């Protein structure tokens, strides 16, 4: 096809000019999209927040950045929440109501004595520790007592949950419940200051620590009254805690049968009452066992009922496939036998077998997560059923779930029963499915950090299940989940979950060999330690991250790590690297930024052997006049610590050497006449030998050069190899024009082009020009052993005005000892 005259095929038309096929191949362009088939890339969620006096910018890409809070951007002081705001927050923190048929609300039976005692103690400002076995009804009793104490304290009642929470988590949770401080995590000092003035009744369920940690919690809140609920295996409080102990026992037999009847919603038959009595002896009257046993009887009633009694929306469709249909007796009595005593004591497996398939899959996911149940909104995606969210209602109605803060988890003892029944098979695959789902969900910009924090326990449980995995694929998924969830934990101010996810992600990255991700987790751990005041740990983590990112050539990440490490060094108050003081002076605040005073050149330390190690040999090209204040800022001031001074001094020496070489080459070149056109260029033969012996600089031949002073001899001997101000090495007086007061630059010119070797002095020497004597400084007190003296010129040449430096007064005390009004300035 002609490239100029393109055919219709190139524009999507066939030979006949029809575009129907082209329209089918390429869809019409959506005017709301930026390009054909391209979507806007997902944006990273960057959240700035305050951590004490530090500004923390959570960056999930290169790593979080931390810096001191800029002036004028300090957060506002925390304000107390109003009663309406506290009530609204408490409603939002309550566990969601599961969909499906409503779960019956059970009354508190036979707990009036404990209820009144707890209310009395809290009204007096006493703190109480309620101890009871798992399943004894502690949570139900706490709910009733919290309602009774709503008006006792000025800051109301604060409900907290101690499941997998540390004392620091509870202190910050109490602060957040009473004070309104968005995106602000106070430091330890401000936190304790606000909590000391907080007066509230704190109802803390599922406490998991005691001893010194519990004493710390109580000491930080002197104006609060605590109602703590714990199991007997939790450590006891310290002897100085002054906590009242209340033990919660099980129900009696009559109360247990009454509770079962309320669950079944009917009177028990004689056979069922006898079965309930045997169960009471076995379970010691724990209310949870009778709630689950009542659920077994309710399921038995459903299985014994004629299916035709239900309409098309009946509940019997959830009957397991292997369950035989219930036969109809002549008298209509149920033929399903009562559960055995063992099944009544451990009813989880039997209850689960009579639930829907979605409910059983939910239990399998809960077993894979160590008892943590995902939110009902995630169940359809995990189970693969659009109606799987209703499974949460089935499980809650059977007593298999218990509330834990704003979420649910498996009730006490259910996890072990389900694992024994085989629900623990394939836990790694299910944990991987959960991790993949949460990794996508937690990293989505539309998901707020608060929602991710609510799922923190399930997310961390999924990572913990995958980290010791037997394959790189499992650990890679854990790395992905940790990278997505940890920034949300940081932004949601749940820093204990942030730390756990970072450590799990770092371990997973190490196992999977993902060095870049491992460096990111090290950086985040360093930033977290810096924000919490653990400077040594922050330094170690940041140095590890910087070294790993440097090996990967990750410039942006390494820069972020260096900034955080500089802040760590600044806060730790360690010694400044490279700081050196002047002789008799003090250490400057920051030698890296210090500059010498105006007019004071940098001193160059020379490393030579000295009889005394504490002395410093200094070759100063030009010393400053002595300061009136004393030794500080004197003529021998040394500022070795300032890098800029050393660099400037080295650059000056190099520049002087280059300039001296250029001048010497220009002066030694005799190809063209120099200076005054009237000057003679003829060679004059002097009487004497062919050569002239080389003499030291301290012994001039004609005596016109002033001898070096005694004070400069010591420095001259120590710096014999140091270049002088002109950058060239010193030459002996017998072979240079410096020995004569009237010597000119032309005296150092080599001999005539008559073939004399440049290595030997010329047999002739020019006579000095009769000009006004101008004493000059020698470049160096002694000549270098390897230096060769330049040969004298054959004819006198006047001084070139372009190559002669103007002289100005100077009081030089260099090694040559030469000083005078016409001495040339020194160059460093």
């Amino acid at each position: 096809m002609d490239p100029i005259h393109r055919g219709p095929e190139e524009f999507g038309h066939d030979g006949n000019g029809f575009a129907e096929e082209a329209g089918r191949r390429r869809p019409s362009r959506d005017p709301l999209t930026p390009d054909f088939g391209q979507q806007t890339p997902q944006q990273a969620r960057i959240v700035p927040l305050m951590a004490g006096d530090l500004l923390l910018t959570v960056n999930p890409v290169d790593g979080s950045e931390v810096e001191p809070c800029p002036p004028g951007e300090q957060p506002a002081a925390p304000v107390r929440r109003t009663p309406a705001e506290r009530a609204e927050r408490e409603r939002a923190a309550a566990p969601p109501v599961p969909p499906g048929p409503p779960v019956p609300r059970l009354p508190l039976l036979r707990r009036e004595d404990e209820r009144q005692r707890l209310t009395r103690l809290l009204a007096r400002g006493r703190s109480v520790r309620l101890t009871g076995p798992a399943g004894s009804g502690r949570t139900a009793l706490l709910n009733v007592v919290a309602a009774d104490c709503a008006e006792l304290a000025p800051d109301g009642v604060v409900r907290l949950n101690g499941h997998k929470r540390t004392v620091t988590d509870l202190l910050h949770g109490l602060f957040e419940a009473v004070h309104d401080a968005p995106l602000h995590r106070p430091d330890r000092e401000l936190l304790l200051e606000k909590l000391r003035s907080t007066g509230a009744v704190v109802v803390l369920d599922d406490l998991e620590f005691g001893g010194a940690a519990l004493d710390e919690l109580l000491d930080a809140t002197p104006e609060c009254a605590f109602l703590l609920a714990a199991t007997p295996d939790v450590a006891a409080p310290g002897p100085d805690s002054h906590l009242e102990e209340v033990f919660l026992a099980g129900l009696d037999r009559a109360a247990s049968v009454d509770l079962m009847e309320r669950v079944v919603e009917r009177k028990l038959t004689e056979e069922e009452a006898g079965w309930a009595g045997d169960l009471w002896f076995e379970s010691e009257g724990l209310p949870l066992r009778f709630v689950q046993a009542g659920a077994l009887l309710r399921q038995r009633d459903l299985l014994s009922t004629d299916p035709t009694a239900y309409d098309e929306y009946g509940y019997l469709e959830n009957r397991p496939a292997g369950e035989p249909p219930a036969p109809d007796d002549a008298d209509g009595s149920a033929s399903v036998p009562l559960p055995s005593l063992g099944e009544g004591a451990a009813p989880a497996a039997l209850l689960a077998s009579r639930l829907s398939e979605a409910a059983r899959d939910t239990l399998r996911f809960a077993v894979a997560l160590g008892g943590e149940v995902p939110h009902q909104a995630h169940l359809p995606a995990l189970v693969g059923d659009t109606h799987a969210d209703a499974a949460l209602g089935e499980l809650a109605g059977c007593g298999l779930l218990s509330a834990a803060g704003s979420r649910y988890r498996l009730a006490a003892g259910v996890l072990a029963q389900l694992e024994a029944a085989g629900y623990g098979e394939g836990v790694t695959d299910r944990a991987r499915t959960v991790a993949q789902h949460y990794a996508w969900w937690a990293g989505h910009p539309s998901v707020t950090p608060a929602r991710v924090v609510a799922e923190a326990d399930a997310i961390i449980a999924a990572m913990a299940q995958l980290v010791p995995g037997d394959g790189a694929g499992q650990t890679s998924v854990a790395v992905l989940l940790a990278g997505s969830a940890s920034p949300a934990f940081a932004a949601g101010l749940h820093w204990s979950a942030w730390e756990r996810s970072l450590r799990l992600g770092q371990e997973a990255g190490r196992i999977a060999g993902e060095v870049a991700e491992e460096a990111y987790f090290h950086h985040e751990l360093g930033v977290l330690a810096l924000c919490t005041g653990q400077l040594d740990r922050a330094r170690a983590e940041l140095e590890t991250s910087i070294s790993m990112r440097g090996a990967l050539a990750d410039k942006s990440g390494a820069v972020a790590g260096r900034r955080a490490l500089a802040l760590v060094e600044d806060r730790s108050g360690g010694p400044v690297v490279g700081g050196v003081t002047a002789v008799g002076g003090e250490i400057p605040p920051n030698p890296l930024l210090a500059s010498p005073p105006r007019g004071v050149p940098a001193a160059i330390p020379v490393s030579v052997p000295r009889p005394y190690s504490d002395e410093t040999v200094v070759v100063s090209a030009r010393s400053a006049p002595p300061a009136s204040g004393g030794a500080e800022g004197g003529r021998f001031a040394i500022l070795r610590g300032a890098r800029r001074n050393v660099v400037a001094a080295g650059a000056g020496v190099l520049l002087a050497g280059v300039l001296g070489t250029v001048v010497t080459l220009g002066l030694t070149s005799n190809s063209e006449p120099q200076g005054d056109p009237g000057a003679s260029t003829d060679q004059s033969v002097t009487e004497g030998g062919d050569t002239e012996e080389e003499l030291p600089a301290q012994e001039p031949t004609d005596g016109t050069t002033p001898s070096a002073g005694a004070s400069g001899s010591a420095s001259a001997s120590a710096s014999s190899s140091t270049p002088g101000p002109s950058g060239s090495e010193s030459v002996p007086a017998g072979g240079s024009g410096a020995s004569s007061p009237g010597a000119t630059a032309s005296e150092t010119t080599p001999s005539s082009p008559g073939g004399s070797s440049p290595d030997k002095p010329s047999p002739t020497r020019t006579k000095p020009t009769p000009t006004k004597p101008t004493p000059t400084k020698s470049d160096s007190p002694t000549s270098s052993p390897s230096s060769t003296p330049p040969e004298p010129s054959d004819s006198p040449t006047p001084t070139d005005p372009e190559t002669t430096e103007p002289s100005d007064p100077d009081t030089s005390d260099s090694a040559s000892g030469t000083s005078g009004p016409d001495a040339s300035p020194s160059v460093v």
Side-chain angles (χ1 to χ4, degrees):
M1 182 183 297
D2 190 356
I4 300 178
H5 303 285
R6 293 173 291 185
E9 293 83 359
E10 189 171 350
F11 295 95
H13 299 273
D14 53 10
N16 297 329
F18 296 101
E20 296 179 359
E21 184 65 24
R24 287 192 296 267
R25 288 196 305 265
R26 186 179 66 183
S28 60
R29 181 174 181 179
D30 187 0
L32 299 179
T33 57
D35 204 347
F36 296 99
Q38 295 183 0
Q39 298 180 356
T40 304
Q42 181 173 334
Q43 301 295 326
R45 178 172 49 199
I46 299 178
V47 180
L49 55 92
M50 293 300 304
D53 59 343
L54 297 176
L55 175 61
L56 173 62
T57 303
V58 180
N59 185 356
V61 180
D62 297 326
S64 300
E65 298 182 4
V66 59
E67 60 181 344
C69 182
E73 296 186 10
Q74 287 79 7
V79 297
R80 292 182 182 273
R81 298 182 186 271
T82 62
E85 292 175 345
R86 291 197 303 266
E88 179 63 28
R89 183 182 179 279
E90 184 177 358
R91 284 193 296 268
V97 178
V103 178
R105 299 178 62 90
L106 301 176
L108 188 66
L109 301 178
R110 310 297 169 84
R111 299 295 190 189
E112 289 299 326
D113 293 341
E114 293 86 353
R115 176 180 180 180
Q116 293 177 5
R117 183 182 177 187
L118 294 177
T119 305
R120 254 191 336 265
L121 291 174
L122 293 175
R124 296 174 185 174
R126 304 292 299 273
S127 295
V128 189
R129 184 173 184 259
L130 180 64
T131 305
S136 59
R138 292 176 288 111
T139 303
L141 181 59
L142 291 183
N143 294 335
V144 176
V145 175
D148 295 339
C149 300
E151 304 296 333
L152 291 181
D155 291 322
V157 177
V158 177
R159 299 292 306 269
L160 298 177
N161 190 270
H163 179 60
K164 297 182 179 179
R165 297 295 185 269
T166 63
V167 59
T168 304
D169 294 336
L170 296 178
L171 289 176
H172 282 279
L174 178 57
F175 170 82
E176 184 182 357
V178 177
H179 299 84
D180 185 14
L183 297 179
H184 181 204
R185 183 180 175 90
D187 55 5
R188 184 74 176 181
E189 182 180 357
L190 180 59
L191 176 65
L192 296 180
E193 177 186 351
K194 294 298 182 182
L195 291 181
R196 276 192 292 266
S197 61
T198 299
V201 175
V202 183
V203 179
L204 178 57
D205 196 5
D206 297 327
L207 181 67
E208 294 184 351
F209 58 84
L214 183 56
D215 294 339
E216 180 184 354
L217 176 63
L218 299 177
D219 294 340
T221 56
E223 301 297 328
C224 293
F226 281 85
L227 176 56
L228 311 172
T231 55
D233 57 344
V234 177
D240 299 332
S241 59
H242 304 291
L243 280 176
E244 295 286 343
E245 288 284 347
V246 175
F247 186 80
L248 190 63
L251 301 176
D252 56 10
R253 180 171 181 174
S256 300
V257 174
D258 188 11
L259 178 61
M260 185 180 294
E261 290 178 349
R262 293 177 181 271
V263 174
V264 183
E265 297 180 344
R266 64 175 176 83
K267 286 290 184 178
L268 297 181
T269 64
E270 183 177 354
E271 182 184 7
E272 294 171 345
W275 178 74
D278 296 339
L279 182 61
W280 177 81
F281 280 106
E282 197 279 334
S283 64
E284 299 180 354
L286 294 180
L288 179 62
R289 296 291 181 264
F290 288 92
V291 172
Q292 296 172 347
L296 284 177
L297 295 182
R298 192 171 61 247
Q299 288 181 344
R300 178 172 175 264
D301 293 343
L302 293 176
L303 293 174
S304 302
T305 306
D306 184 8
T308 59
Y310 292 86
D311 56 8
E312 57 182 356
Y313 301 103
Y315 301 104
L316 294 182
E317 294 179 359
N318 296 328
R319 180 194 303 270
E323 187 77 15
D328 296 335
D329 293 342
D331 55 355
S333 61
S335 62
V336 179
L338 282 172
S340 65
L341 186 59
E343 292 174 339
L350 183 58
L351 286 171
S353 64
R354 296 172 177 177
L355 297 177
S356 63
E357 185 63 28
R360 290 195 293 271
D361 284 343
T362 302
L363 290 177
R364 293 187 179 94
F365 279 108
V367 171
L369 298 179
E372 303 295 336
V373 180
H375 191 273
Q376 60 192 19
H378 300 281
L379 294 180
L382 295 176
V383 176
D385 186 359
T386 56
H387 301 285
D389 55 345
L392 200 65
E394 294 183 55
L395 299 176
C398 294
L400 297 178
L401 301 182
S402 62
S406 60
R407 63 195 185 282
Y408 291 96
R409 71 173 189 269
L410 293 181
V414 174
L415 177 61
Q417 298 174 26
L418 292 178
E419 288 178 343
Y423 281 78
E425 298 178 358
V427 292
T428 303
D429 295 337
R430 296 185 182 276
R432 181 176 181 177
T433 302
V434 174
Q436 290 175 338
H437 169 74
Y438 275 132
W440 166 82
W441 175 75
H444 200 276
S446 63
V447 180
T448 62
R451 295 176 59 189
V452 181
V453 167
E455 298 294 305
D457 292 338
I459 292 175
I460 294 176
M463 283 189 286
Q465 185 69 36
L466 296 177
V467 166
D470 52 356
Q474 311 292 348
T475 53
S476 298
V477 176
V479 169
L480 180 62
L481 177 57
S484 300
S486 57
F489 292 154
L493 301 180
H494 191 359
W495 283 13
S496 63
W498 185 23
E499 182 177 4
R500 290 199 296 268
S501 64
L502 290 177
R503 296 201 177 278
L504 289 172
Q506 182 268 330
E507 180 67 15
R510 184 189 63 82
I511 296 174
E514 300 184 14
V515 183
E517 298 298 332
E518 186 181 359
Y520 166 79
F521 294 127
H522 277 296
H523 174 86
E524 293 295 289
L525 285 171
V527 171
L528 173 60
L530 173 58
C531 293
T532 54
Q534 303 174 5
L535 300 181
D536 293 338
R537 179 180 295 180
R539 183 183 295 106
E541 296 288 352
L542 290 173
E543 288 176 352
T544 304
S545 173
I546 292 172
S547 61
M548 296 177 72
R549 285 179 165 178
L552 295 173
D554 185 2
K555 296 183 179 179
S556 58
V559 167
R562 292 191 189 98
R563 289 175 180 173
L565 185 59
L567 185 57
V568 172
E569 298 296 340
D570 180 66
R571 296 218 157 193
S572 62
V576 182
V577 180
V580 182
T581 62
V583 176
E586 298 178 356
I587 298 178
N590 192 348
L592 297 179
L593 302 178
S595 299
R598 187 182 300 273
V600 179
I604 309 172
V606 181
S607 299
V608 295
R610 296 290 295 168
Y612 304 100
S613 59
D614 56 347
E615 294 186 1
T616 305
V617 179
V618 180
V619 178
S620 179
R622 181 176 182 179
S623 62
S628 59
E632 295 186 7
R635 49 198 315 189
F636 293 104
I638 308 171
L639 297 175
R640 293 182 300 173
R643 298 181 180 178
R644 293 182 295 179
N645 297 340
V646 176
V647 174
V653 170
L654 180 61
L655 178 60
V658 174
L659 292 178
T661 305
V662 173
V663 172
T664 303
L665 292 177
L667 293 177
T668 56
S669 176
N670 57 356
S671 60
E672 294 181 2
Q674 301 181 15
D676 191 0
S680 173
T681 59
D682 296 336
Q683 298 180 0
S684 60
V685 181
T686 59
E687 298 178 2
D690 296 338
T691 60
E692 189 173 28
E693 294 182 0
E694 186 174 334
L695 300 178
Q698 286 80 3
E699 300 177 5
T701 55
D702 52 1
T704 57
T705 302
S707 61
S711 62
S713 61
S715 300
S717 62
S719 58
S720 59
S721 61
T722 305
S726 63
S728 61
E729 298 178 349
S730 61
V731 296
S736 66
S739 61
S740 176
T744 59
S746 63
E747 296 180 44
T748 60
T749 307
S751 58
S752 64
S756 61
S757 173
D759 297 333
K760 297 182 180 180
S762 176
T764 61
R765 177 179 294 278
T766 59
K767 297 182 179 180
T769 306
T771 57
K772 181 179 179 180
T774 303
T776 59
K777 269 193 313 185
S778 63
D779 296 338
S780 178
T782 58
S783 62
S784 175
S786 61
S787 63
T788 303
E791 300 181 358
S793 177
D794 295 333
S795 61
T797 304
T799 303
D800 191 352
E802 298 179 358
T803 60
T804 303
E805 256 182 312
S807 61
D808 38 296
D810 189 5
T811 57
S812 174
D813 58 345
S814 62
S816 63
T818 307
S819 63
D822 298 329
S824 60
S826 59
V827 180
V828 179

